[in-house]
Amino acid sequence: MADRVYNFSPGPAVLPLAALEQAQRDLVALPGVGMSVMEISHRSKTFDAIFTETRQLLAELIGIPAGYTMLFLQGGASLQFAMLPMNFLRGVEKPADYVLTGTWGNKGKEEAEKQGQVNVVWDGKSHNYSYLPTAADLKLSADAAYLHVTSNETIQGVQFPGDPKFGTAPLVCDASSDFMCRPIDIRKYDVLYACAQKNAGIAGVAVVILKDEMLERTATGLPSMLDYQLHAKNDSLYNTPPVFAIYMLMLVCRWLKNDVGGLAKMEKRNREKAKLLYDVLDACGGFYQGHARPDSRSLMNVTFRLPNEEVETRFLTEAKTHRLIDLKGHRSVGGIRASIYNAMPVEGVKTLAEFMTDFQRRNG
Ligand SMILES: *Cc1c(COP(=O)(O)O)cnc(C)c1O
């Protein structure tokens, strides 16, 4: 589409054009319904069909076996930071283990500390979260209520290369910024959650996938809206769910299945895209300084610095003239961050890689 830019925003982020166009066609009136999805009852047959398709697509794409429950909750990933320890740490005589790999891992830990005992089993602070630990680096508790990891740190641009396998405590993963970027083995996880607005849709819904055993361990006396068990019993329809956000999630899942061809194909495409940028970093002779150590590089958020802030500002200004938008890094890392989520087209990344090479030639 001619007037769309290449949007490298970290989130809310680029959506597949197919999903936007479908939403546009259905916005005023869903075919055969004569009303938009925003105007119908969440208990109507129409919404039930949307909700069912969304669940089925997610289960199929991710490969979720029996024995797991999928919830659709509001409050974003940030509410999960609190809800998780409220359900699984409150009143428990055990610590929760937290792996601090960047900004989001820290935020999760801070919320858990309000609910119970937290043991930081690894903290990458000394190197500003530029690489990830291996199992041998972690100082695990003997008997943790759970172990929390962040599969992709959106701000620092570090991502675990695969499903982490750390100890025996229930594994909880914040997968907000790499949800469905590649196949995972969900059986390795006891809880996996992700807000939708990075890689799967729009703000307003978070997907929480829990092993059914976990639902038997939730704390009692929680406010209803913060109780996983209650949401599970009500099939995520305890109160009005975010209907439009769920509908957008469905459209993105349809795109992943029908246009992309599933998560293995998605991963291949994501690897190609990330390689285009990391190849520039590796070949530039130090003009671009990658933040992440090569073994911890993210497929989703590519972070790097230029020789000084003045050159960085010029880079951002010139990038805009090539329709390359929202590349400014987070202040805690500085420099540039190119978020290249699933929906970022290959051409967008190619355009950025070419611009980077040309910019260095003129400024190096
Ligand atoms: C964006 C993000 C969050 C916060 O998500 P909200 O929906 O804004 O609360 C948490 N974790 C990670 C990894 C993120 O990228």
Side-chain angles (χ1 to χ4, degrees), residues 99 133-136 138 140 147-149 160 163-171:
V99 187
T134 59
L138 305 185
L140 299 175
L147 171 87
H148 185 278
V149 299
F160 282 104
D163 302 314
K165 184 71 199 98
F166 295 145
T168 54
L171 181 63

Side-chain angles (χ1 to χ4, degrees), residues 75-78 81 104 150 152 154 174 176-177 195 197-198:
S78 296
F81 290 161
W104 292 116
T150 312
N152 182 67
T154 324
D174 173 6
S176 289
S177 53
C195 57
Q197 73 272 17
K198 309 294 171 56

Side-chain angles (χ1 to χ4, degrees), residues 194-210:
C195 57
Q197 73 272 17
K198 309 294 171 56
N199 216 18
I202 63 170
V205 67
V207 180
V208 185
I209 302 165
L210 304 105

Side-chain angles (χ1 to χ4, degrees), residues 175-252:
S176 289
S177 53
D178 66 354
F179 188 50
M180 296 196 287
C181 86
R182 62 187 174 193
I184 58 167
D185 182 358
I186 191 72
R187 287 164 305 185
K188 301 233 161 78
Y189 301 86
D190 296 81
V191 183
L192 184 133
Y193 63 92
C195 57
Q197 73 272 17
K198 309 294 171 56
N199 216 18
I202 63 170
V205 67
V207 180
V208 185
I209 302 165
L210 304 105
K211 224 175 231 174
D212 290 345
E213 284 122 73
M214 294 301 286
L215 290 170
E216 286 150 33
R217 284 189 216 171
T218 56
T220 52
L222 293 170
S224 302
M225 285 298 289
L226 301 175
D227 183 341
Y228 288 126
Q229 203 183 87
L230 185 118
H231 283 292
K233 278 188 185 140
N234 289 278
D235 262 340
S236 299
L237 286 167
Y238 171 71
N239 73 329
T240 316
V243 288
F244 193 74
I246 291 169
Y247 162 79
M248 286 306 300
L249 176 60
M250 177 189 77
L251 295 184
V252 172

